Amino acid sequence: EPVGDVSQVIDDVIPLAPAAPSQHRETMRLNTTSTTGSAWRRRPVIIALAAAALSAGAIGISTSTSPAEAADPIPDEGLGPVVVEAGPLVSPRTELLAAGVRGINLENDSFDETDISVTSFAEHNGVMYVGGKFTQVEIAATGELHDQAFLAAFDRDTGAWINSFTPTIDGNVWDLAVTADDRLIVAGQFASVNGSVLTNAMASLDLPSGELTPGWRVDLDFPESSARPIARAIDIEGTDLYIAGNFTRITAAGAPTAEVSRIVRVDLATAVHDTTFAPTIDGAVFDVDATSDRVYGAGNFFFTNGESTGGAARLFTDGTLVPDLAPYIRTIPDDPSNWFQQAVLALDDDVWMSGGQRLRAVYAKSDWSVIRSWVSDTWGDGQVLTEMNGIVYSGSHANATTQLWQDAINWPELDGATSSLPIRWMSAYDRTAHEHIDWVPQIGTSEGEGSWALFPDSTDCLWSGGDFNRGSFDGDVPRFVAGFAKFCSADTTPPSPPTDPSATATSNGIDLAWTGATDDRDGDVRYELLKNDDVLASFISITTFRDVDGTPDDRYFVRTMDTAGNRSATTPVFTAGPPPPPDTSNPTTPRDLTTTLDPLTSDITLTWTPSTDDRGVAGYIIYRNGTPVGGTATATTIRSEAPGNHWYQVQAIDTSANVSYKTAPVFIETVTPSTPRDLAGTVDPDTDDITLTWTPSTDNQGIAGYVIYRNGAIVDIVAGTTTTRSDGPGNHWYQVQAVDTSSNRSYKTAPLLIQT
């Protein structure tokens, strides 16, 4: 079994598996061994023929140290499990999800340079609501695509699509929030929801129906621009709803239209516009976070209430500026085009902000002094912020080559930097210590946009949305991710231990084997071998291993390792006795060889009575006309042969490569008509009837007719070389097969696609 790309193994497996941080990136060596014995080397031709029927080989990753090492001798009953210590940080591995989203809508989009599918999340009664620019929902197991654009619902625990929630929205969704009275507030750049045109950029939907809330209306306008108004961000604070974006008018709850400037406050229950909160901002606001006494805005603007504030608005709840605050960090001070801020998060006495150029920073609420800052060296404007269990998470478009420099204040000089850690699409920080945590999520993107939405759900799992297109790897296979991913707390449950361990002495060492185990979470498991109170090898991907230095006196144990680094209890001790004497006995000759010809497919089925052997029969070699043509592990095989005369024989081979005598030859003759040619089809535009035609086949006895296949299934038998069918709308793959007067069948034609 191939190990796969070593860099992928290091990035996606090794950081997770050991329990001790100092062992995250140990020196590794590939240990490739084989369980084949010397007798195989005496018969290379037989080996090649029987390879499909026999198992051999082992591949593992060996390490010199492990959390499983024991200071004292391991008792015969083995060791107990080793469990990873739980912490507040979520695992970097993605969870399995049953569905996702596809497509990116750029029509009526003021941010068409952001190629992202998912922009927002909200949760209600075990359901995750996902908003964005997507146009379809994709089912993981089948790849089916369903038209559901901009807003969809998924099961929080499994990720399954909830197809009963199907509101119709005619534009991108940018933010979502759930109210205490079971409503979903939707913000974005749309003009119609469920057919109602009084929903420019804002709507309230009743849950779980998805119908518009009666009487709740917030209608935004932006007459200065030909672009649609946009509600880019919303925030609920008590009974108030704050709305931020790019708009200059609001019509709410039947009140007269009012002039506003990019940020407003309305009553969450009634949608009545609070005209006492009326700050003026001269550009788009991307994010808003309100507390009981402050309102913070981040965006691409320069003035707030007529004063130069750059992309950070720091307001009292009456809309006035908080005075005497220091300016926020501008990583390129001389370039105002890079002063924009993307996200803001208020946490007690700290305020976190992120944005251009490549900035993340935390400020003191009291005077806006810088508590700590981080600047990435190549990619990665901060795009979104959230907090869960004392960890602040930030989303960005930083790719796998990016380093994040702590205490840097500018770019590209990175002055003041004290340390750096890698960053990829997301990053994590200790909320209290203000330290960047070494956490690199295992996830891929389609456009390099990264994370634009982060949401902690009620089960302490973190949802991330953007342009994600693959999750963490199970072996060489990436988990399904489409648009959004889910990260949950570290796994602290050990997997089950292996069973049925065995050790067999050979001339080349000790062959070890065991029955595989499972884990409580989905994903591959690996195995760890211990020998004489020390670790022999870790991260073994299959259930066999050869210890080339082993002796019959060595004591062995094996345990299971999961992707989080938990280790099961070991097996009890197992050892190898002295090697068995050489196997010189041949297996018995197979008996009662028979051949059967399928008149429909011309396939030949060979069956025989199985052979016996004192060490076990490994398989059988098939001979046709005196030449070996394949191997099989069972006493039956099906062959597809060209027309002609065929003499078959079968020979048994045992686990030491000793072979039996061949059976007596058995004769069978196959005669097949020629394959029809030039299959063509036409569609009647009035009736959608399909007419198929083809060139006739030839046969030494004569053609009896033709079998018609549609989508692999027989649908008709006709005498001539044309037929007309009414198969309804859809995609139809047709094939034709000739049948002669002795019921012999030709090969089928190549499939012909006809769409009606």
Side-chain angles (χ1 to χ4, degrees):
E1 177 181 329
V3 171
D5 180 64
V6 172
S7 65
Q8 184 63 64
V9 172
I10 293 174
D11 283 346
D12 280 1
V13 179
I14 300 302
L16 302 179
S22 62
Q23 296 166 343
H24 280 191
R25 295 178 183 268
E26 297 171 314
T27 301
M28 298 180 299
R29 63 180 176 88
L30 293 180
N31 181 4
T32 305
T33 62
S34 172
T35 58
T36 53
S38 59
W40 282 103
R41 292 194 292 274
R42 297 196 301 268
R43 298 178 175 86
V45 174
I46 295 174
I47 295 171
L49 294 173
L54 306 176
S55 62
I59 296 177
I61 299 177
S62 295
T63 64
S64 59
T65 60
S66 164
E69 290 188 79
D72 299 320
I74 301 176
D76 286 352
E77 60 268 25
L79 296 174
V82 178
V83 178
V84 172
E85 183 179 354
L89 189 67
V90 296
S91 168
R93 288 183 59 79
T94 58
E95 298 291 310
L96 288 175
L97 296 176
V101 297
R102 293 288 185 191
I104 300 172
N105 170 64
L106 300 180
E107 186 177 356
N108 295 313
D109 181 11
S110 295
F111 300 92
D112 55 8
E113 73 280 6
T114 55
D115 295 328
I116 52 179
S117 296
V118 173
T119 61
S120 51
F121 300 98
E123 179 188 4
H124 181 260
N125 287 349
V127 176
M128 290 299 301
Y129 295 92
V130 179
K133 298 184 178 185
F134 61 86
T135 57
Q136 293 178 307
V137 169
E138 180 179 9
I139 308 303
T142 63
E144 297 174 51
L145 294 174
H146 299 269
D147 292 333
Q148 179 61 36
F150 312 127
L151 181 60
F154 301 85
D155 184 274
R156 180 197 60 204
D157 299 322
T158 66
W161 178 44
I162 300 174
N163 59 13
S164 59
F165 180 81
T166 56
T168 57
I169 302 178
D170 74 342
N172 297 335
V173 170
W174 276 96
D175 206 358
L176 299 169
V178 169
T179 69
D181 58 345
D182 302 325
R183 293 183 293 125
L184 179 67
I185 307 298
V186 184
Q189 197 164 19
F190 45 82
S192 172
V193 177
N194 292 347
S196 174
V197 295
L198 301 178
T199 52
N200 270 327
M202 290 294 301
S204 173
L205 304 180
D206 290 338
L207 296 178
S209 70
E211 298 295 326
L212 285 167
T213 303
W216 199 97
R217 177 190 172 192
V218 172
D219 197 56
L220 304 178
D221 197 8
F222 192 28
E224 297 90 339
S225 172
S226 60
R228 284 181 175 181
I230 179 172
R232 178 73 181 263
I234 54 178
D235 185 45
I236 296 174
E237 176 61 24
T239 61
D240 294 324
L241 173 67
Y242 289 86
I243 305 169
N246 210 14
F247 53 88
T248 54
R249 288 181 184 173
I250 181 173
T251 306
T257 298
E259 301 294 326
V260 293
S261 183
R262 274 84 180 195
I263 186 168
V264 295
R265 182 169 66 207
V266 302
D267 185 276
L268 181 61
T270 65
V272 171
H273 175 210
D274 183 354
T275 58
T276 66
F277 178 77
T280 60
I281 299 177
D282 69 335
V285 180
F286 297 155
D287 195 16
V288 59
D289 193 15
T291 69
S292 60
D293 62 343
R294 296 284 196 276
V295 179
Y296 300 102
N300 191 15
F301 52 86
F302 296 101
F303 292 91
T304 304
N305 293 352
E307 295 191 24
S308 178
T309 60
R314 297 158 293 180
L315 306 166
F316 289 118
T317 54
D318 63 0
T320 61
L321 285 172
V322 179
D324 303 322
L325 296 183
Y328 67 93
I329 293 175
R330 296 167 182 175
T331 56
I332 308 180
D334 298 330
D335 184 2
S337 66
N338 285 290
W339 292 358
F340 65 90
Q341 298 292 285
Q342 293 274 22
V344 60
L345 178 66
L347 298 172
D348 299 326
D349 294 329
D350 296 343
V351 182
W352 296 67
M353 293 195 79
S354 63
Q357 183 67 270
R358 301 171 173 85
L359 175 68
R360 295 143 192 82
V362 56
Y363 305 90
K365 170 185 174 181
S366 58
D367 60 2
W368 217 254
S369 57
V370 178
I371 298 174
R372 176 139 277 167
S373 61
W374 301 266
V375 179
S376 53
D377 53 12
T378 53
W379 300 96
D381 294 352
Q383 296 165 173
V384 61
L385 291 163
T386 196
E387 186 272 345
M388 183 174 71
N389 295 333
I391 305 295
V392 173
Y393 296 92
S394 171
S396 72
H397 58 266
N399 62 25
T401 64
T402 304
Q403 291 284 116
L404 188 64
W405 293 84
Q406 190 157 285
D407 297 316
I409 58 172
N410 56 17
W411 184 89
E413 293 82 3
L414 304 172
D415 291 340
T418 57
S419 61
S420 70
L421 286 172
I423 177 177
R424 180 167 62 184
W425 315 128
M426 287 168 277
S427 49
Y429 310 82
D430 186 293
R431 171 180 173 176
T432 303
H434 309 110
E435 292 282 347
H436 182 201
I437 301 171
D438 189 3
W439 178 80
V440 180
Q442 300 166 12
I443 196 167
T445 69
S446 60
E447 307 294 333
E449 295 283 3
S451 176
W452 283 79
L454 291 169
F455 185 86
D457 72 17
S458 59
T459 65
D460 287 339
C461 292
L462 179 70
W463 295 70
S464 182
D467 66 327
F468 299 121
N469 65 351
R470 72 122 178 116
S472 53
F473 280 78
D474 294 325
D476 294 328
V477 180
R479 291 186 169 185
F480 172 86
V481 162
F484 59 88
K486 177 184 177 183
F487 303 86
C488 293
S489 59
D491 180 6
T492 59
T493 302
S496 63
T499 56
D500 305 319
S502 65
T504 304
T506 72
S507 59
N508 295 321
I510 304 297
D511 283 350
L512 306 167
W514 55 91
T515 300
T518 58
D519 186 38
D520 64 311
R521 292 194 180 184
D522 294 303
D524 287 354
V525 295
R526 296 290 188 264
Y527 300 97
E528 182 174 70
L529 272 170
L530 292 86
K531 170 186 174 182
N532 298 336
D533 309 324
D534 202 351
V535 173
L536 174 63
S538 291
F539 304 103
I540 302 171
S541 59
I542 55 177
T543 57
T544 59
F545 190 89
R546 169 163 290 171
D547 180 9
V548 295
D549 300 319
T551 71
D553 296 327
D554 288 325
R555 302 169 71 250
Y556 295 98
F557 306 84
V558 63
R559 71 194 323 163
T560 313
M561 308 163 59
D562 67 17
T563 55
N566 299 297
R567 286 162 165 80
S568 74
T570 69
T571 62
V573 67
F574 58 103
T575 62
D583 180 9
T584 58
S585 299
N586 296 327
T588 62
T589 303
R591 295 181 294 105
D592 307 321
L593 175 62
T594 60
T595 59
T596 305
L597 178 67
D598 187 328
L600 297 179
T601 65
S602 295
D603 288 343
I604 299 170
T605 301
L606 307 178
T607 58
W608 57 92
T609 301
S611 300
T612 60
D613 185 79
D614 60 334
R615 301 285 179 90
V617 175
Y620 300 88
I621 302 169
I622 311 302
Y623 291 82
R624 185 186 70 225
N625 301 334
T627 301
V629 292
T632 178
T634 60
T636 183
T637 187
I638 299 175
R639 301 190 54 79
S640 298
E641 305 284 15
N645 298 327
H646 306 290
W647 292 90
Y648 288 103
Q649 293 172 281
V650 177
Q651 182 182 50
I653 181 170
D654 69 13
T655 55
S656 299
N658 300 304
V659 295
S660 72
Y661 290 105
K662 300 175 187 175
T663 62
V666 175
F667 175 75
I668 191 168
E669 179 182 13
T670 59
V671 178
T672 304
S674 66
T675 304
R677 295 181 293 108
D678 306 321
L679 176 61
T682 58
V683 179
D684 188 317
D686 296 324
T687 65
D688 280 347
D689 286 350
I690 299 168
T691 299
L692 303 175
T693 60
W694 58 91
T695 302
S697 300
T698 59
D699 184 80
N700 60 341
Q701 297 181 7
I703 301 297
Y706 298 90
V707 181
I708 312 301
Y709 292 80
R710 179 172 62 85
N711 298 336
I714 296 175
V715 294
D716 202 0
I717 299 176
V718 300
T721 58
T722 184
T723 184
T724 299
R725 302 191 51 76
S726 299
D727 287 330
N731 295 332
H732 310 287
W733 292 91
Y734 291 101
Q735 292 173 278
V736 177
Q737 181 182 54
V739 183
D740 68 13
T741 55
S742 297
S743 297
N744 299 307
R745 296 198 179 196
S746 73
Y747 292 106
K748 301 173 187 176
T749 62
L752 172 68
L753 173 63
I754 297 180
Q755 297 173 310
T756 56

